[in-house]
Amino acid sequence: ALSDRGDFDEALAELRRALRIRLLIFGRVHMDTKEVVNNLGVVLTARGGMTQEEINKYMVTVVHALELENEGDRFCRLRGDYANGMVCYRKALSLEEQALGDLHPTTCDLYLRTADTFG
């Protein structure tokens, strides 16, 4: 619905949240996870400004970054292993900066996770 209204950035943010949860619960190869990844591509195509190759690269990058984010959360929250959690967050941050830029709200979320881990 957000994409149909032209709210592409909001639609992408919501899909990213859904994808993060799907990856955490179901993993990368589950049908529901693949559906969310496909929906990311649909929204990016509708938004325009990217080639199909760029869209595919973005989707792979986002999946990998979210997996690293989830792994960082596991290290920090479940194990109290903040050093390894920080490594995961920094890797995810690097991927997100390449895909979205350093001023994107998603990248900002990772900066906040990194700051929380330092805290």
Side-chain angles (χ1 to χ4, degrees):
L2 291 167
S3 179
D4 290 344
R5 286 193 338 215
D7 293 333
F8 300 116
D9 288 337
E10 186 70 24
L12 290 170
E14 293 300 324
L15 285 168
R16 187 183 184 284
R17 284 186 199 101
L19 180 58
R20 185 164 191 248
I21 294 166
R22 291 292 202 288
L23 285 166
L24 185 63
I25 303 299
F26 299 126
R28 184 184 280 222
V29 297
H30 193 274
M31 179 180 68
D32 289 349
T33 305
K34 290 180 180 182
E35 180 182 5
V36 176
V37 172
N38 183 59
N39 289 340
L40 276 172
V42 169
V43 171
L44 289 168
T45 300
R47 183 179 72 175
M50 294 175 78
T51 66
Q52 190 60 47
E53 183 179 332
E54 291 170 328
I55 290 171
N56 292 339
K57 183 179 178 185
Y58 173 82
M59 291 188 305
V60 169
T61 300
V62 166
V63 167
H64 187 63
L66 289 171
E67 288 173 330
L68 286 166
E69 235 181 285
N70 286 338
E71 187 64 21
D73 287 350
R74 280 189 210 85
F75 277 119
C76 291
R77 294 191 178 129
L78 299 177
R79 300 179 193 151
D81 184 352
Y82 298 105
N84 280 319
M86 183 62 73
V87 169
C88 292
Y89 290 149
R90 287 190 180 203
K91 286 179 182 179
L93 185 57
S94 174
L95 290 170
E96 294 283 356
E97 285 175 335
Q98 290 172 25
L100 303 172
D102 62 344
L103 298 178
H104 193 275
T106 298
T107 309
C108 180
D109 289 343
L110 277 166
Y111 285 128
L112 290 172
R113 284 185 194 280
T114 303
D116 285 344
T117 302
F118 276 127

